[in-house]
Every structure is written in C-alpha cells, then in structure tokens.
Amino acid sequence: MQHESPPRAWVEVDLEAIAHNLDIARQALPDTQLMPVVKAGAYGHGLEPVARRLDNDGVAFFGVANAGEARRLSQAGIRTKPFILGPTFPEEREEIVLNNWCATISTVEEAQHLQQLAALYDKTLLVHLAIDTGMGREGVLPEDLGNMIPLLKTMPNLVVDGVMSHFPCADEDVPYTQEEIARFEACVQTLQHHFRLRYRHIAASAGELGYEIPAANLARPGLLLYGVAPMASIYDGVLRPTLKLSSRVSLVRTLPAGYGVSYGRTYMTTRPTRVATIGIGYADGWSRHLSGKGAQVYINGHYCPMLGRVTMDQIMADVTEVPFISPGDEVELIGPHIPVTQVAALADTIVWEIFTGLGPRLPRLYH
Ligand SMILES: *Cc1c(COP(=O)(O)O)cnc(C)c1O
C-alpha cells in the first residue's frame, strides 16, 4: 500500500473554541434563543463537525444557505432543525416540505408553491416570513404586508411561525440600524395580530452585539462563533480564535541579488536572499490579492515577508533571517501570530471571505 503523502497545507479547527464563543453569545443575550449560522461549511471550519459539536446545545436552529447543506446536516444525524437563510429555488422546495426544514417566504409565489407542495404531501410547514427592512436582498417590503397577510391566512398548510429580517450595516451605520429596528418592531406588532410568531429575529453577529432589539427573541450569530467580533466591542478579547492555517516549506534556496521572484517578477531581490518555497496558494484560499501587500508568514519563531505574487499552489517567503530552516518545516499563515483580521485587511476584503475561501483541498483537523 502506498503511503499517502502528508498534506502540504491544512486547517486545524478548535471545536471547543467555537462552543466557547457560542457561550459568550448566550451570556450576552440571556433571554434570546440562538441560531448558530453554519452555512458555507461553517465558514470553512467544516459543516458536520461544527454542527455535531453544537447540536443539543440548546440551540433553536442551524442557519444554512441551501437545501444541500440542510441535507448534509440531516444525513449526519444532526437533530437541530436547519433554517434556510436565503430565498429557496423551486427545485429545493419539495425536499424542504418532505423534511420539514424551515424556509423563509418573501413573495406570494414562494408561499403558493410551498402551500401546494405541503397540501400534496399532506404536511403542515412552519415558515418564517422575511421582511425587507432595508437590506434589499429578500423579504416583503413593510408596505406590502397588508396584501401579504390575508393571502397567507388562506393557506391552510403553511404556519407562519416566525418573522425575520437582516441588517445591511449594523457594523457601519448605527442611526440607520436603529431606524430599521423600529421598522421591524412595527412589522412584528402588525403580524402578531394575525399569527402566533414563536420566533422573531433580525440580528447577525454585529446586530447581536451592538443593539437592544426588544421585538426579537432569536439571534443568528455567524462570524462571532468563529472568533471574530465584527465591530470593536467588549467581546474582542473574550472570543477565542477557532482556526489555524498552516503549510510546510518545500524548498529553501539562496537567490542572488537582482533576481525576480514569482510570476510577473514584481519582486526583485535586493541582496542575496534565502527564499523558501511553501506549499500553499490561491487554490487553497490564500488569496492572490495578498501579493505585494506586505503579507508575512510565520516560520520557526520568525515573521517572514512573502515575496512576489501568490501562485496557484505555492508561495515564496524571505527566510534570510531564520537561522535554522529546512524543507518540511511548518509555516503559520493564520493563527496565534497572524490574525485572520490582518490577512483580510491586507487582501482588501472581509474575514468572512477569507474563512469561506479556505478550499476543499485543505484537510480539516479537529481537536
Ligand atoms: C450569514 C448570515 C448571518 C450570519 O452573519 P454574521 O455576520 O456572520 O454573524 C445571519 N443572518 C443571515 C440572514 C445571514 O445570511
């Protein structure tokens, strides 16, 4: 039997840190139920292992992106009900009805289709009405509620069990977010005359940390679970990092002064330079936008500047200052010495994109 070669790059996930961060959310909101958001493979941390760790932890739902993720949860034996956060496609709805997953409704068409399927299979489907309080992505506009409510009441197989919305700028615009909270409250008040709304939710991580939302009794933390507070907050020092991204040195060589490194030769050595080649690239999610931005990697106790462009499977770093280094040595790319927030800033993007960009080629190791 051939030995499988050790991975060139991998992700280590600390499931206990994720559970700890969920506890922090719980302590911050003692009277609010929680829907941990595990969409996009639990933000790159691995859908099933994260859901398994948080299952039975007193959570109301798991937030997922689509029916495929909901199916993976149910195939993994997860008992917490999946909640499909965005609008559903018609092809997904039969499976949703048959499995009694929770879906949202923004339009009459979606409601009618779900009603039709639920009637066909003699099911009662619990749905959440989405309200667009300002995100412009899904939901009924508040002024259209008057038309929507009587229609929903004619659908015997649908039960409006909850109401939801989503903030577009909870971490950027406090006054606007406060207006939205008021709009949401007004919608909840109207809807409560017609439906028994067991769940009322609008906040993701930023909304959850930053605002009082008396009308809500459920929150949907995502990023927060993965150790990053989306806005400077008292939780900054309390959340635990959940993930480490590592690779290994494949080669160490000395290049002469005036030598170009990587595609485009955008970096030229200014002196004889020890250059390490490292087994990770943009195909793994180490963004090409990190090229030429002063990004560093951490090897054997030293910060080493990355040189030139990120290539598909490999990067190069200046290891002239690292006294002992040889092929096989570990390289930290995200972890205790290199926070993911810094990587996101250098790549000119957000932490969410760095996490979810971590590719399928990276094995996930769990502690
Ligand atoms: C992704 C998502 C969340 C989680 O957002 P975070 O900012 O990561 O906490 C919550 N609600 C909805 C509707 C989402 O799409």
Side-chain angles (χ1 to χ4, degrees):
M1 205 177 90
Q2 284 227 307
H3 288 289
E4 215 176 295
S5 55
R8 290 160 170 260
W10 63 94
V11 169
E12 286 163 81
V13 175
D14 185 346
L15 293 172
E16 292 317 307
I18 299 175
H20 164 87
N21 295 336
L22 178 64
D23 274 340
I24 297 292
R26 197 174 275 127
Q27 285 160 28
L29 299 168
D31 301 322
T32 301
Q33 300 186 71
L34 294 174
M35 178 194 306
V37 175
V38 297
K39 65 187 175 189
Y43 292 38
H45 293 66
L47 180 63
E48 289 88 352
V50 170
R52 218 171 268 130
R53 177 61 188 83
L54 304 182
D55 200 21
N56 302 323
D57 212 357
V59 298
F61 299 96
F62 280 133
V64 297
N66 53 42
E69 290 178 344
R71 187 185 318 128
R72 280 173 58 188
L73 290 183
S74 93
Q75 283 170 350
I78 302 296
R79 304 192 26 207
T80 304
K81 188 164 166 161
F83 183 102
I84 298 168
L85 291 159
T88 57
F89 285 96
E91 307 78 32
E92 295 177 306
R93 291 184 196 140
E94 183 176 44
E95 192 178 9
I96 289 168
V97 168
L98 287 172
N99 290 284
N100 211 4
W101 296 330
C102 202
T104 65
I105 285 178
S106 302
T107 60
V108 177
E109 291 73 23
E110 291 172 292
Q112 281 170 338
H113 190 205
L114 285 170
Q115 160 59 33
Q116 201 187 332
L117 289 165
L120 180 67
Y121 293 109
D122 198 18
K123 298 266 187 189
T124 301
L125 188 68
L126 305 179
V127 295
H128 289 210
L129 186 62
I131 312 282
D132 192 338
T133 53
M135 173 75 183
R137 188 169 72 174
E138 64 173 319
V140 184
L141 295 174
E143 57 265 38
D144 295 337
L145 269 187
N147 293 329
M148 192 68 165
I149 290 168
L151 273 165
L152 286 170
K153 289 171 95 170
T154 65
M155 300 185 180
N157 299 70
L158 294 192
V159 172
V160 180
D161 195 36
V163 55
M164 62 104 62
S165 184
H166 190 57
F167 295 127
C169 41
D171 50 355
E172 289 167 13
D173 189 339
V174 173
Y176 184 78
T177 303
Q178 272 155 353
E179 280 170 39
E180 266 195 277
I181 291 172
R183 268 200 292 285
F184 182 68
E185 300 218 23
C187 294
V188 169
Q189 290 233 327
T190 307
L191 287 163
Q192 269 173 335
H193 293 302
H194 303 277
F195 306 108
R196 199 176 147 258
L197 301 170
R198 280 198 303 157
Y199 298 103
R200 306 176 296 276
H201 46 119
I202 186 167
S205 299
E208 176 178 340
L209 296 179
Y211 303 84
E212 289 270 326
I213 312 169
N217 68 352
L218 174 67
R220 308 183 303 260
L223 192 67
L224 171 57
L225 301 178
Y226 308 105
V228 181
M231 51 212 279
S233 77
I234 51 167
Y235 302 101
D236 264 352
V238 191
L239 297 172
R240 273 169 43 190
T242 54
L243 174 149
K244 186 170 178 219
L245 174 64
S246 308
S247 181
R248 295 187 307 143
V249 172
S250 55
L251 274 185
V252 183
R253 296 171 311 143
T254 301
L255 298 178
Y259 207 89
V261 179
S262 196
Y263 289 122
R265 304 177 75 234
T266 53
Y267 179 82
M268 303 295 286
T269 56
T270 55
R271 54 180 167 124
T273 304
R274 295 279 282 166
V275 175
T277 302
I278 298 163
I280 191 168
Y282 61 76
D284 301 295
W286 189 249
S287 175
R288 191 169 174 278
H289 297 291
L290 291 165
S291 308
K293 300 279 180 57
Q296 296 184 314
V297 300
Y298 190 78
I299 310 174
N300 296 352
H302 294 263
Y303 286 96
C304 307
M306 203 176 72
L307 301 179
R309 290 187 185 155
V310 175
T311 76
M312 188 183 292
D313 312 312
Q314 304 176 74
I315 57 174
M316 277 66 80
D318 181 343
V319 294
T320 310
E321 306 302 324
V322 186
F324 303 103
I325 181 165
S326 48
D329 285 359
E330 277 194 24
V331 180
E332 176 187 323
L333 296 124
I334 295 173
H337 304 96
I338 303 185
V340 64
T341 44
Q342 187 183 311
V343 174
L346 288 173
D348 210 5
T349 186
I350 53 175
V351 173
W352 291 262
E353 192 180 32
I354 299 294
F355 276 151
T356 59
L358 296 172
R361 190 162 72 180
L362 299 167
R364 268 63 169 179
L365 312 175
Y366 296 92
H367 305 307

